[in-house]
Amino acid sequence: MRLALVVCTDLMRSVPLSSQPGFSLLRRSLSSPNRFLLYRKNINNIYTGIPPGTSWHKTCTINDMIIGIDISEKNNVTSWVEVAKNQVRFVYLKCTDGIAGAVATYAGNKKSAKQTGILTGAYHWLNPAQDAVVQAEHFIKNAAIVDDDLPPVVCLELYSTSKTVLEPKLRTFLETAETRIGKRPLVYTSATYWKKYMAGIEWPCEYPLWIDEPGVIWPAQLFPWAGWAIWQFSYQVKIPSVSGTPGLNWFNGSQADLQALANEGLVKR
């Protein structure tokens, strides 16, 4: 029990959200679970913005959270202005995969998204079979992260592996990226993948969680984290001006919290 208490306390400090909303938001949202169900029913998997006065807009305001998307080379964006008009406030762009894979449209999308006022971040798919330092250097070079970018993200789930292989590779990548970039990365994973390959490992709670949990039910707590920073709740939506089906995410905080995350990053303890 003492360990769980320490984890919870430290995690709240690890994400600079005002008044520790990671827990107050959880309580508020759990007390009104039908709001999320109503949202999903209303948009019917077609994301067309948040008209003022609708229940979707009220849900977003009540829970003090905002919407963002994540895209890869599978998604083509014809107008970031149109994306911004649909209340998308942040985007994470796939940048690299392993030691060589890189997305050709990353830099152009990053520039265009930022010009419309959308906060941007970069993510990397970690390949446990390849050198973690080389992967980090490859990501850092291509991501070209600057001061007002969101913290970088390392994504898991794409490759089968084992705990003995994945744990040291993940730790090396995270520490290398943090040292070089100056912002503490987030970890993107699903509960299924994490429990299969990283069950029982405690140290990752130092890095905020981006949980992949599609659906209308609030994600269950995933050890060693107490809560999450971002929740990917769908990747089957349609957004005007974006081809394919990008991921749709809640950020567990307000616009001001997200801006602070971009400007200040996350300082590792």
Side-chain angles (χ1 to χ4, degrees), residues 17-18 21 25 64-66 251-259:
L17 304 181
S18 58
L25 290 176
D64 197 30
M65 296 194 295
I66 59 176
F251 169 70
N252 198 356
S254 65
Q255 181 70 33
D257 293 326
L258 187 65
Q259 188 67 59

Side-chain angles (χ1 to χ4, degrees), residues 65-122:
M65 296 194 295
I66 59 176
I67 283 288
I69 62 174
D70 59 273
I71 66 173
S72 69
E73 70 277 10
K74 298 177 182 178
N75 308 113
N76 179 53
V77 182
T78 57
S79 174
W80 282 101
V81 172
E82 290 300 314
V83 174
K85 286 180 180 179
N86 281 276
Q87 303 298 323
V88 173
R89 294 296 176 249
F90 69 95
V91 58
Y92 265 102
L93 306 164
K94 179 181 175 182
C95 181
T96 50
D97 182 339
I99 62 175
V103 178
T105 56
Y106 166 79
N109 277 326
K110 178 180 178 180
K111 180 180 179 180
S112 297
K114 294 183 79 168
Q115 287 175 342
T116 66
I118 298 175
L119 292 172
T120 65

Side-chain angles (χ1 to χ4, degrees), residues 34-213:
N34 288 333
R35 294 189 182 278
F36 285 93
L37 292 171
L38 181 61
Y39 154 65
R40 296 285 292 171
K41 180 178 179 181
N42 283 352
I43 67 170
N44 195 28
N45 277 334
I46 304 297
Y47 182 66
T48 56
I50 310 174
T54 65
S55 59
W56 201 97
H57 183 267
K58 291 178 181 178
T59 298
C60 189
T61 302
I62 289 173
N63 290 291
D64 197 30
M65 296 194 295
I66 59 176
I67 283 288
I69 62 174
D70 59 273
I71 66 173
S72 69
E73 70 277 10
K74 298 177 182 178
N75 308 113
N76 179 53
V77 182
T78 57
S79 174
W80 282 101
V81 172
E82 290 300 314
V83 174
K85 286 180 180 179
N86 281 276
Q87 303 298 323
V88 173
R89 294 296 176 249
F90 69 95
V91 58
Y92 265 102
L93 306 164
K94 179 181 175 182
C95 181
T96 50
D97 182 339
I99 62 175
V103 178
T105 56
Y106 166 79
N109 277 326
K110 178 180 178 180
K111 180 180 179 180
S112 297
K114 294 183 79 168
Q115 287 175 342
T116 66
I118 298 175
L119 292 172
T120 65
Y123 70 87
H124 170 84
W125 281 106
L126 182 69
N127 186 337
Q130 298 176 342
D131 186 278
V133 173
V134 176
Q135 289 188 69
E137 295 290 347
H138 176 57
F139 170 72
I140 292 165
K141 177 182 177 180
N142 285 275
I145 294 173
V146 295
D147 289 344
D148 63 346
D149 287 343
L150 292 168
V153 174
V154 58
C155 295
L156 309 179
E157 296 183 343
L158 197 58
Y159 299 98
S160 297
T161 182
S162 67
K163 181 185 294 188
T164 56
V165 171
L166 180 58
E167 182 184 2
K169 294 290 180 71
L170 176 60
R171 189 162 203 163
T172 296
F173 183 94
L174 289 168
E175 292 180 350
T176 302
E178 180 176 1
T179 299
R180 291 284 306 280
I181 296 171
K183 295 184 179 184
R184 192 188 332 163
L186 284 74
V187 174
Y188 169 91
T189 190
S190 67
T192 300
Y193 188 92
W194 190 263
K195 291 176 182 178
K196 183 175 182 179
Y197 296 118
M198 290 286 284
I201 304 299
E202 299 173 1
W203 63 262
C205 70
E206 295 184 358
Y207 299 89
L209 173 64
W210 179 355
I211 185 71
D212 170 19
E213 193 71 31

